Amino acid sequence: MPDPVLVRSVADLRAVVHVWRREGLRVALVPTMGALHEGHLSLVRLARMHGERVVASLFVNPKQFSAHEDLDRYPRDEAGDAAKLGQAGCDLLFAPPASEIYPPGFATAVTVSGVSDDLEGAMRPHFFGGVATVVTKLLLQCLPDAAVFGEKDYQQLLMIRRLVRDLDIPVAVVAGPTVREGDGLAMSSRNAYLSANERSAATQMNVILKRAVADLEYGGDIAAIERDATMALDEAGFNPIDYVAVRDAGDLSVLGPRVDRPARILAAAWLGKTRLIDNFSVLPRAVAGNDA
Ligand code: PAF
């Protein structure tokens, strides 16, 4: 498979997409920050089911990193990413310089309140504003029929759904399931930062969360299970633990004392200098099939 056509300006992106539209082809967009792994490529393959043409964007968005975060060391490999995208069936790669996205004088910010206030929003206060701003721009620049986002960033996915609804952006938001390594670790570009010891400890995050899911679906007390999972992460070497939270799957509102509707367990914690996040679906007892 050839590499996708590379464009760096909004004008060139729009010119290509315009021709496709005139031909009656549907367009699906996969926004990324590069350092692509199988999780991203699964989103590209999913995008192919929603459009005859697939665009991927590659932009390490400075607005979603704060000063002390890893913007400078975030892994970058545009040539490698382009080759992987071609293999996965991407037609067009939009890889703009920062000046194309944020030209001098750029003064607009998009914020989504409610779903983005808590959890990641509380730990990384700049993050969702940066994501909302860049995603709004990418959607308006490309005007795709569908845009695909991973469930790995579950809160981000819910925020983007809210944003698209609130701003009447005519795009279908499609969710792609989290892709995992053989031992269950959620794939992430940041896994590349882990030392060998951290990598073997990292798998405990999914083990502990899956155990919590089983306990929750068996009818366990949410607060106790959140506490136990936090202690288990601590024992596995995660430090600090930003949160372990069981929330409503649709709007992340607080539930309790037991799971009585579709829910999500979400966690974020550090191994050394690497912050890992993960989440799993939790079904209420009767739906999960645990009724005695
Ligand atoms: O999930 C990501 O990789 C980023 O947050 C996104 C959606 C590409 C925006 O920069």
Side-chain angles (χ1 to χ4, degrees), residues 13-14 34 53 85 87 89 111 138 169 175 178 213-214 219 222 268 290:
L13 167 69
R14 286 194 169 138
R53 292 290 178 271
L85 286 167
Q87 290 297 323
T111 47
L138 291 168
I169 301 178
T178 302
V213 171
I222 290 176
N290 286 322

Side-chain angles (χ1 to χ4, degrees), residues 31-33 61 64 131 134-135 149 153 156:
T32 83
M33 296 208 301
N61 175 30
Q64 65 190 80
V131 173
V134 82
V135 168
F149 297 89
D153 294 287
Q156 169 177 282

Side-chain angles (χ1 to χ4, degrees), residues 21-151:
R21 287 206 174 290
R22 245 190 3 221
E23 291 169 357
L25 301 171
R26 284 171 311 154
V27 178
L29 172 69
V30 183
T32 83
M33 296 208 301
L36 303 181
H37 49 68
E38 190 47 40
H40 297 106
L41 303 180
S42 73
L43 301 182
V44 172
R45 289 190 283 270
L46 182 57
R48 282 227 74 94
M49 296 163 72
H50 293 267
E52 290 79 28
R53 292 290 178 271
V54 172
V55 181
S57 61
L58 192 175
F59 181 61
V60 183
N61 175 30
K63 284 199 187 296
Q64 65 190 80
F65 292 77
S66 71
H68 65 275
E69 288 186 333
D70 56 344
L71 174 63
D72 292 338
R73 70 174 185 133
Y74 198 81
R76 289 168 170 85
D77 174 17
E78 187 184 295
D81 287 344
K84 289 177 191 167
L85 286 167
Q87 290 297 323
C90 171
D91 301 287
L92 183 69
L93 172 58
F94 175 46
S99 57
E100 183 72 6
I101 299 291
Y102 303 121
F106 185 86
T108 300
V110 180
T111 47
V112 181
S113 57
V115 74
S116 58
D117 292 343
D118 204 3
L119 306 175
E120 287 301 287
M123 300 312 301
R124 305 179 66 198
H126 55 282
F127 175 69
F128 283 125
V131 173
T133 302
V134 82
V135 168
T136 303
K137 284 185 66 96
L138 291 168
L139 294 176
L140 296 176
Q141 289 162 348
C142 181
L143 289 176
D145 298 277
V148 184
F149 297 89
E151 286 185 346

